[in-house]
Amino acid sequence: MAGARLGDCIEMQEGLIKRACSSAMKAHKSTGKPYILEKSRSSPDAVFSFAGSWSVNDWFAGKSFGEKKIDLGLFPSLRSIGNDEVAVVNEAFLRRFQAILEKQSFQSEVQKAVTEKKQVVFTGHSSGGPMAILAMLWFLEHCPKPENDQIHPRCVTFGSPLVGDRIFPHALNRENWSCYFIHFVMKYDIVPRISLAPLSSIEKELQPILQFFNPKSPFFRKPMDASNFYVNVMWNASSVASHAACNLMGYTNLLLETVTSFIELSPYRPFGSYVFCTGNGELVVVENPDAVLQLLFYCPQLSSETELAVIAYKSLTDHLMYENELKECLQIQSVVSLDCLEELPLSSDGSNSALDDLGLSTSARLSLRAAGEWEKQKKRNEDKINGYVRKIEEGLGWLKQVPGQV
């Protein structure tokens, strides 16, 4: 779907999107405050913007991916129905959010915004994004729903790393919460891909990279060689995306199982709506989480090895460009919504400049097609199961009317 406005595609006022981005970047530059609240008596919304952290310990807990099972007391909906499998979350991010939650001021300010019938918006840039995501989940679990059905809460992140595993998108779809989460990602921004790599592969470079993003650091935005960091992150992203694509396409080769026995794959997966910024003022909206995972890998690919140093550095600078990029995109309003992935052409035909700007190869388009087909198959399975449920309910209703039957 081309030609639509961004606000229509993600069902959010564009003025509020700009406010969320501006507030998220303001929190990025703040120090000493875990979040800032922007609210006024005349405004219909309350924007909670979370600051990031520039310590490795606040990004990874342990040497691997730093994951742990989520606390169902805090997030009871994040489990898989059927086998009661519990969702996995980044422990370092969860620990930071719990520290915020322990401050009574945060809970009371959220409750006050609800009482005042404000539209609550949680936002964050960089590692402030996971705080906004977890705050939104906590809000949906524990805060009363607004009386006005038109006042929907929103979580909007910019360049956020991934937070949870494959159970997150399933649980949020089940609760009809996915539409509340909107994530903006620049084409080359490396941060949304960081969680796909284990700490052991990037530990040496990660602290200097975080200082590049830290506005209070003397190394903020200073030129640096990020080539090794970029290659290590994208190599791990390749492993995750390739394994996921093979599963989507139904490959049964035992090599898949062999590979996972000696290559550690990240458990983290996307969820919610993603808005990819091409860098040319155009936007691509994707709601299919399997497709988003493929795009996180395929979008920042190099055309040749000679580009490595330039693209690696751009993968850092893009992380700080969301406010300028969004301002340009909202003026141009060239928006594409990828809602028929199974019909995606396997090569560029020049009819869609936004997709062309993402630089999608034939392999990428095949993976996106597979994600679309898998989503359609899941829907067919769901409809089939719902049909069985209706028949069972009809049968039980008939039995209740028969004398002597249970």
Side-chain angles (χ1 to χ4, degrees):
M1 177 175 61
R5 296 187 65 89
L6 176 62
D8 295 333
C9 286
I10 62 176
E11 297 182 355
M12 184 174 179
Q13 293 181 357
E14 291 170 11
L16 187 53
I17 298 171
K18 288 191 285 188
R19 278 193 58 205
C21 186
S22 175
S23 186
M25 297 310 297
K26 187 183 299 183
H28 176 96
K29 299 172 185 177
S30 69
T31 58
K33 295 181 179 180
Y35 70 93
I36 57 177
L37 170 60
E38 293 190 354
K39 183 182 71 167
S40 66
R41 187 170 298 178
S42 60
S43 175
D45 44 66
V47 180
F48 292 82
S49 306
F50 295 87
S53 171
W54 316 116
S55 167
V56 172
N57 291 334
D58 287 335
W59 287 67
F60 287 88
K63 292 293 182 182
S64 185
F65 295 99
E67 73 273 25
K68 69 170 294 186
K69 289 185 177 180
I70 205 156
D71 180 2
L72 290 180
L74 191 59
F75 303 106
S77 297
L78 291 179
R79 57 188 177 85
S80 177
I81 299 298
N83 57 9
D84 279 340
E85 190 177 357
V86 178
V88 162
V89 68
N90 180 301
E91 182 178 3
F93 295 154
L94 179 61
R95 186 175 58 225
R96 282 179 55 210
F97 173 68
Q98 287 175 319
I100 295 172
L101 199 59
E102 289 171 0
K103 300 179 183 295
Q104 291 301 316
S105 59
F106 172 71
Q107 296 191 44
S108 62
E109 284 175 334
V110 171
Q111 186 57 56
K112 185 177 180 182
V114 173
T115 302
E116 294 173 349
K117 298 182 179 180
K118 303 279 189 183
Q119 180 178 19
V120 177
V121 178
F122 299 109
T123 187
H125 170 256
S126 196
S127 64
M131 300 305 100
I133 290 168
L134 293 171
M136 182 64 167
L137 288 169
W138 168 81
F139 180 87
L140 292 169
E141 296 275 19
H142 300 283
C143 292
K145 294 181 180 179
E147 295 178 3
N148 184 352
D149 289 338
Q150 301 302 313
I151 305 178
H152 296 299
R154 284 289 186 272
C155 171
V156 191
T157 72
F158 303 88
S160 173
L162 302 176
V163 175
D165 70 348
R166 59 183 175 76
I167 293 179
F168 270 65
H170 294 305
L172 295 184
N173 283 335
R174 184 181 66 235
E175 302 294 332
N176 293 319
W177 290 348
S178 287
C179 59
Y180 299 144
F181 295 85
I182 302 159
H183 312 286
F184 286 83
V185 174
M186 294 282 285
K187 177 181 177 179
Y188 290 106
D189 184 1
I190 198 65
V191 173
R193 286 99 173 166
I194 283 180
S195 295
L196 297 176
L199 178 60
S200 59
S201 70
I202 58 174
E203 187 171 13
K204 182 179 178 181
E205 297 95 352
L206 183 55
Q207 189 59 63
I209 295 295
L210 294 180
Q211 292 312 303
F212 178 92
F213 299 139
N214 183 359
K216 304 302 179 182
S217 168
F219 303 103
F220 178 59
R221 302 195 72 163
K222 291 294 175 95
M224 64 181 299
D225 183 6
S227 299
N228 286 338
F229 184 78
Y230 178 87
V231 168
N232 286 331
V233 170
M234 294 309 298
W235 186 89
N236 283 280
S238 170
S239 299
V240 175
S242 297
H243 186 266
C246 287
N247 285 328
L248 288 173
M249 296 176 188
Y251 290 167
T252 57
N253 195 321
L254 292 177
L255 181 60
L256 278 178
E257 300 304 321
T258 305
V259 167
T260 57
S261 67
F262 64 86
I263 295 180
E264 197 173 18
L265 297 179
S266 171
Y268 302 117
R269 296 294 182 270
F271 62 86
S273 297
Y274 271 71
V275 183
F276 285 86
C277 308
T278 68
N280 292 328
E282 297 176 305
L283 300 170
V284 179
V285 181
V286 190
E287 296 180 355
N288 183 316
D290 295 313
V292 170
L293 179 63
Q294 299 301 318
L295 287 172
L296 287 175
F297 167 63
Y298 280 108
C299 281
Q301 293 300 305
L302 306 176
S303 298
S304 67
E305 289 187 13
T306 58
E307 291 184 328
L308 177 56
V310 173
I311 295 300
Y313 184 65
K314 185 172 177 56
S315 75
L316 304 184
T317 57
D318 263 15
H319 186 59
L320 302 172
M321 297 299 293
Y322 281 91
E323 196 166 9
N324 291 338
E325 179 71 13
L326 190 58
K327 186 181 299 183
E328 180 183 356
C329 290
L330 290 177
Q331 288 178 342
I332 296 175
Q333 288 292 343
S334 177
V335 185
V336 173
S337 182
L338 290 186
D339 47 10
C340 292
L341 290 166
E342 66 280 2
E343 300 174 7
L344 194 69
L346 292 181
S347 60
S348 172
D349 57 7
S351 63
N352 196 313
S353 60
L355 289 182
D356 292 345
D357 285 344
L358 288 181
L360 301 183
S361 64
T362 300
S363 296
R365 292 166 183 261
L366 280 170
S367 297
L368 294 178
R369 273 192 174 190
E373 290 290 352
W374 179 243
E375 191 67 27
K376 285 179 66 176
Q377 183 59 51
K378 287 195 294 185
K379 183 64 170 65
R380 286 193 292 266
N381 293 343
E382 182 181 339
D383 291 342
K384 190 175 182 179
I385 291 172
N386 288 338
Y388 289 146
V389 170
R390 284 192 293 271
K391 289 180 179 179
I392 292 171
E393 289 175 345
E394 290 172 2
L396 289 173
W398 178 81
L399 285 174
K400 288 178 181 179
Q401 297 175 11
V402 178
Q405 300 293 326
V406 177

